[in-house]
Amino acid sequence: MSDVKKVVLAYSGGLDTSVIVKWLQETYNCEVVTFTADIGQGEEVEPARTKAQALGVKEIYIEDLREEFVRDYVFPMFRANTIYEGEYLLGTSIARPLIAKRLIEIANETGADAISHGATGKGNDQVRFELGGYALKPGVKVIAPWREWDLTSREKLMAYCEEHKIPVDFSNKKKKSPYSMDANLLHISYEGGILEDPWAEAEDDMWRWSVSPEAAPDTPTYVELTYEKGDIVAIDGEPLKAHEVLEKLNKLGGDNGIGRLDIVENRYVGMKSRGCYETPGGTIMLRAHRAIESLTLDREEAHLKDQLMPKYAEVIYNGYWWSPERRMLQAAIDETQKNVSGVVRMKLYKGNAIVVGRKSDESLFDESIATFEDDAGAYDQKDAEGFIKLNALRLRIAAGKGRKQS
Amino acid sequence: MSDVKKVVLAYSGGLDTSVIVKWLQETYNCEVVTFTADIGQGEEVEPARTKAQALGVKEIYIEDLREEFVRDYVFPMFRANTIYEGEYLLGTSIARPLIAKRLIEIANETGADAISHGATGKGNDQVRFELGGYALKPGVKVIAPWREWDLTSREKLMAYCEEHKIPVDFSNKKKKSPYSMDANLLHISYEGGILEDPWAEAEDDMWRWSVSPEAAPDTPTYVELTYEKGDIVAIDGEPLKAHEVLEKLNKLGGDNGIGRLDIVENRYVGMKSRGCYETPGGTIMLRAHRAIESLTLDREEAHLKDQLMPKYAEVIYNGYWWSPERRMLQAAIDETQKNVSGVVRMKLYKGNAIVVGRKSDESLFDESIATFEDDAGAYDQKDAEGFIKLNALRLRIAAGKGRKQS
Amino acid sequence: MSDVKKVVLAYSGGLDTSVIVKWLQETYNCEVVTFTADIGQGEEVEPARTKAQALGVKEIYIEDLREEFVRDYVFPMFRANTIYEGEYLLGTSIARPLIAKRLIEIANETGADAISHGATGKGNDQVRFELGGYALKPGVKVIAPWREWDLTSREKLMAYCEEHKIPVDFSNKKKKSPYSMDANLLHISYEGGILEDPWAEAEDDMWRWSVSPEAAPDTPTYVELTYEKGDIVAIDGEPLKAHEVLEKLNKLGGDNGIGRLDIVENRYVGMKSRGCYETPGGTIMLRAHRAIESLTLDREEAHLKDQLMPKYAEVIYNGYWWSPERRMLQAAIDETQKNVSGVVRMKLYKGNAIVVGRKSDESLFDESIATFEDDAGAYDQKDAEGFIKLNALRLRIAAGKGRKQS
Amino acid sequence: MSDVKKVVLAYSGGLDTSVIVKWLQETYNCEVVTFTADIGQGEEVEPARTKAQALGVKEIYIEDLREEFVRDYVFPMFRANTIYEGEYLLGTSIARPLIAKRLIEIANETGADAISHGATGKGNDQVRFELGGYALKPGVKVIAPWREWDLTSREKLMAYCEEHKIPVDFSNKKKKSPYSMDANLLHISYEGGILEDPWAEAEDDMWRWSVSPEAAPDTPTYVELTYEKGDIVAIDGEPLKAHEVLEKLNKLGGDNGIGRLDIVENRYVGMKSRGCYETPGGTIMLRAHRAIESLTLDREEAHLKDQLMPKYAEVIYNGYWWSPERRMLQAAIDETQKNVSGVVRMKLYKGNAIVVGRKSDESLFDESIATFEDDAGAYDQKDAEGFIKLNALRLRIAAGKGRKQS
């Protein structure tokens, strides 16, 4: 274990990754570089600096990645209306590739030969961090302490802290959440605790970003989202940067009880797990994006997108953002977004994100053809007969030859 | 036009299809057989008998198809979590194959050589009726009056009625809905009128089966749905037939403001149209079915189902229920449902259909493995390292040879 | 029929399209513009000029489109390893979009309001011409004489010629092929005649571009194909333009009895038809392209390409080259071809196009890892255990819970 | 390592697996049960008995699995026209699930708690054996000696033999093939040696089952294959069992130089490898099956099969025969084969397997419609106009609104 000289750690400033700093220094006898990013998790990142310094870290990276995160990861993903297993908006999955990329870039800058993270050996995040790392720096050494050490219980961790004089934040210790949580601008996730029984209803005080539908206002909020090439660029007419869009929608959604989700999902490592997710802004964006596409996308490209989406979601969920297959799918998706521009009007009310209007200069909706009124010859109903007859031809031939169709 | 001797008409008893009876008799000089089915549209079907008799019809078929409709069409479709273009639950599409099948069976019973329907030349329903008809009786003659006649406005229709002494129900005439509507046990659809402007919000008095979320009760309703092999067989422990399940869920959903949808969709005939749909029970069923599958389906079959679903939805939407490709997809879908049994607990509240629990004797959720607590060796975290390394191998090789991954 | 002022006709110079010139002039009382293209069909196009002049045509377009055809249509299609229904190399399908595009461009240049072609009402080509036409000029009028006129037999056509003094080339008339044929640089197709019986073997004297395998040389020919970004740019080291590549490979393939194909295929208009195809160069290219991709493509992008290919082939076969879905698929395909460069060595022998070697500077083949010899630690075999165990986890859990796996 | 009591070994009778017998006995101090199967590899299996006895094995299983192998594995796979990465007929992949199944069944019969095999840690076969084993007996212990021991060179193996008095067959030792080979009724595979350079042409004396095209007879062989529900049941009118079909086609194909393949493929463990495959009968079957399907399958089910095939091939290649996703795909595939019956006539000549005729009582080919001659009204060419116009509608609308289509 002596071959590692310097390791870049994804450092939250919390207890677990603080222990990891010390453990890496001791176990690998190597220098530790910490990397702490603000991706909208809702906690100050600057305090990580003094904590890292106290642990003897000399190279400390603290960065605000919120805009990059939403612009280059969240938005491209939403162009595909991406949901995993019909429900999950991939809030955790989509943050990992950016962290992995920065870990590697910092490793290259600081001359580190290894990266490390605080994800366990049972989850998806280890996979996402490490696949990203290997894809971007093939010779990198990856250290995953949770797969190596024997600090497998909270008691052992605490004992380690005491032994190594790692300051434990007592207030934190007291009201330690019973859930394993992860947060970024797109969502908060909750796992563990009573959630390990999929029959048990999540407790209302678990949720952090949203009020319950019951507690939401009795009057709806209307909001207009302006799209350009598949991305939201303004809310109620006000131009916003990518992360500002999501921050605003999180606020609007959370206030109206929107975006809570409670599912059992299939992890890439082969087990099912139960998770609760809070994705206020994302839930609004998914609906709204489909609405603007409904006006501006051609039918066949829309259907093809829908057929490719589950694969694209799987690629991201499994941690293959930095892969040729993701780029290939992205090329197809982005090709369709050139005309996905316009405005969607949404009504937000007690958990519901309802599309109530959509308009676009690029609209393919043709009132003169679709109308139930007289269309002035825009569409010749007689064409339908030939259309149907030739579409039926293969079925008619088969039935004529005695094939059973029922 | 003299070659048609007898035609079976899908007859609603309403004004339009009553005109069609007369028009067929006159234009084709043929006998008309009427077929009226109760598929849960919420109107009495028996009155169609006297209306048909008054029009001189001798062979009158009036049938209650509600159970068959839900059991053999709606439920198989829901096994696939079927939604068209990300939103639409296919309420109209799924009713047409059954009507087409009965039209053909009645044609065979009565010796008719043609079938007819009241669908226009712009919509999907003409396609669905006729593809079904041709697939089941390849030599059948199809008469689509709306594509042939010149009664292209309400005024002309009314004039025709007066001329031919077709009694017009005045009360109906007065409060004639401004929307083109279609209803069955799965949904009501609304098109036309102000909906032809996709930016215009639907008026609240349009909706018939559901209260608005605002008007729904302030306390949630909980309900438990019991699944067997992918279909709901009991609600809150009470065994129910297929159509009883849907009737009950429609009531529960409608009372809680659930199932309203407002979309722009792509028709098979090539145009976009705006439609509003009210699918209270179906909206609950979609969520619940995914929840019971989340416990009982293997990951890979679940993902494969998700990839096939858009195609399956397209097949049904376009009218190819009676086709080899639908049977092929159904075979794959049904193969996966053998173990989709258990109970889903839902919370219904002001437009929200929320899954709050799920359990199953066939559950593949393994708490001993998934737990954040000590798993007593059920899962060896060290396996993850090899798993990740080999999954990364192709990416590492590529990066090692200088391929750019970002 | 008087509303057409000027029509651009895809004019081969042959008897049928010469009749169409006259028929259009008479029936529509309009001016006819002829467009004749050399796309490698192997016949002089210049003679079409005097023929058109003799028919009173004033605007005559005669163009050599061979390079554009191969570069912008054939090559992009081959990047996807495109085959329709497992066999057909789409030789006819891929030529139509270019013809359609030029028809429309010429219509725009000459102020014509209509286009016309000589394809029948039963085949795919009418669809391909017309979909292209409508996509590129939505208001264009399309005239398809074979769907309109009553010249439905050779006798009637001949009578029309005599009546209208259209010179019939007697030599041609005598040795008129019993087959309906179509040729361009990619292939010749044969339909009709004895081929209408799918049990009947094609006669050897039908084929035009290739010798039979039996008649091919007894010694093999070796050839090296150099790829850049998915396209062949040199043969045996000699740089060639796109159409020169195909001309050369047609010669090499034809001389060695390569590229004959005899199939029953499904037409877009709903019927099955039997066709024989002669595609010497294309058959070599398909194999060679797969070979260079086998070295240079990542596994997952390669598999995704294979999954998308049947759809892409269908899109082209059905005539949707000029469509959003084709562009979307092309974007995905082209994204994968950036590194598809290198050399493939082929052995051509009596009908066989055999890959015997492939090399590339972009190769992802890593001998140090793949070797059966000592790999000096490049690959840790112990990683395989974790890889297999986690991939098996979902199966083990299911089996442990009593699910039957066989 | 003392916790294994009895292990069932896939035993070929060759040197390597003989060493494994001894190594298992020594290393795990456990009883070894050998299992040797005739799956058409072309070597006697009975001699394995005395060899195993000499090694002290008491429970010896020797079985002829040829019929089961072809009937229940090869034939179902060929119903899907299965090829991996466009070329490979999966000859090795498809034999592994049967071996895995028998290993587990024998473990259950003999009370063994472990299974073992002679596959290396770099290849796909370890994955296939072990995934099958875990899927069928989730608690089984798997021992993969090549991943554990240090006998990593031929020299060390030989030393081990001498030390442990394992008789080495000298004649065998002398003419030891330079290739790593695997054989069964479907194919022989060759890897390693000079093949590790993908630019090097395979030497002609490598191939065992087929003559070269050059050495094949100068006159073609014609053969007629009779299909029932997707499987061949007779050759030239003579009814045959599944394995007899393949044996006969291997002979016919091999004699005519058919079925040699030389590719670079992507292994599931993440590396590319170069392999040569000899699949005479399978190559004929693939072409013939497509031909009988071309007459008897509906277009849309055929296209859907083609879209699913690459995934199905991947599932088998990766070792997931015993999985829910394979059963799901198989259900879809088998649903389509009910009418795939009839006769295909093939011409075999110097490496070419050419379809020259096909006929079927279930044929959907309709000469009266497809004909270039007068069809007596079977098809109304005017239907094509409406068909095209509505199919073009979405493109016309888009172009009319200024969307660029090129």
Side-chain angles (χ1 to χ4, degrees), chain C residues 1-76:
Chain C
M1 288 192 163
S2 57
D3 57 340
V4 172
K5 296 206 179 62
K6 194 189 276 192
V7 57
V8 186
L9 170 68
Y11 180 60
S12 73
L15 183 66
D16 290 10
T17 47
S18 293
V19 170
I20 289 176
V21 172
K22 185 58 71 181
W23 182 86
L24 286 169
Q25 291 165 335
E26 286 213 336
T27 310
Y28 285 87
N29 194 23
C30 69
E31 209 177 320
V32 174
V33 180
T34 59
F35 163 55
T36 309
D38 183 355
I39 50 169
Q41 63 267 51
E43 280 172 20
E44 294 294 310
V45 288
E46 200 46 44
R49 189 179 308 276
T50 48
K51 291 186 183 177
Q53 286 168 335
L55 289 159
V57 175
K58 285 179 203 129
E59 291 170 292
I60 297 170
Y61 284 76
I62 295 182
E63 301 175 356
D64 180 353
L65 300 179
R66 289 174 303 155
E67 182 175 4
E68 183 179 357
F69 171 51
V70 180
R71 184 191 62 215
D72 296 346
Y73 300 81
V74 174
F75 273 12

Side-chain angles (χ1 to χ4, degrees), chain B residues 50-105:
Chain B
T50 47
K51 291 186 183 176
Q53 284 168 337
L55 290 159
V57 176
K58 286 178 203 130
E59 290 170 291
I60 297 170
Y61 285 74
I62 296 182
E63 301 176 356
D64 180 352
L65 300 179
R66 290 174 301 156
E67 183 174 3
E68 184 180 355
F69 171 51
V70 180
R71 185 190 62 216
D72 297 346
Y73 299 81
V74 174
F75 273 11
M77 181 173 78
F78 271 78
R79 286 177 211 144
N81 305 317
T82 316
I83 33 174
Y84 181 70
E85 299 187 341
E87 301 280 7
Y88 174 38
L89 287 158
L90 295 170
T92 300
S93 325
I94 194 60
R96 301 318 191 191
L98 171 55
I99 304 300
K101 186 183 74 129
R102 286 301 297 143
L103 284 175
I104 294 301
E105 287 170 348

Side-chain angles (χ1 to χ4, degrees), chain D residues 8-9 28 39 43 49-50 60 63 72 82 126 143 172 179 200 216 222 245 277 279 295 297 312 321 337 346 372:
Chain D
V8 186
L9 170 68
Y28 285 87
I39 50 169
E43 281 171 18
R49 189 179 307 276
T50 48
I60 298 170
E63 301 175 354
D72 296 345
T82 316
Q126 56 174 344
I143 306 174
N172 232 353
Y179 305 103
Y222 282 84
V245 163
Y277 299 100
T279 321
L295 274 193
L297 278 197
Y312 179 77
W321 180 268
Q337 300 293 296
M346 307 276 302
F372 278 84

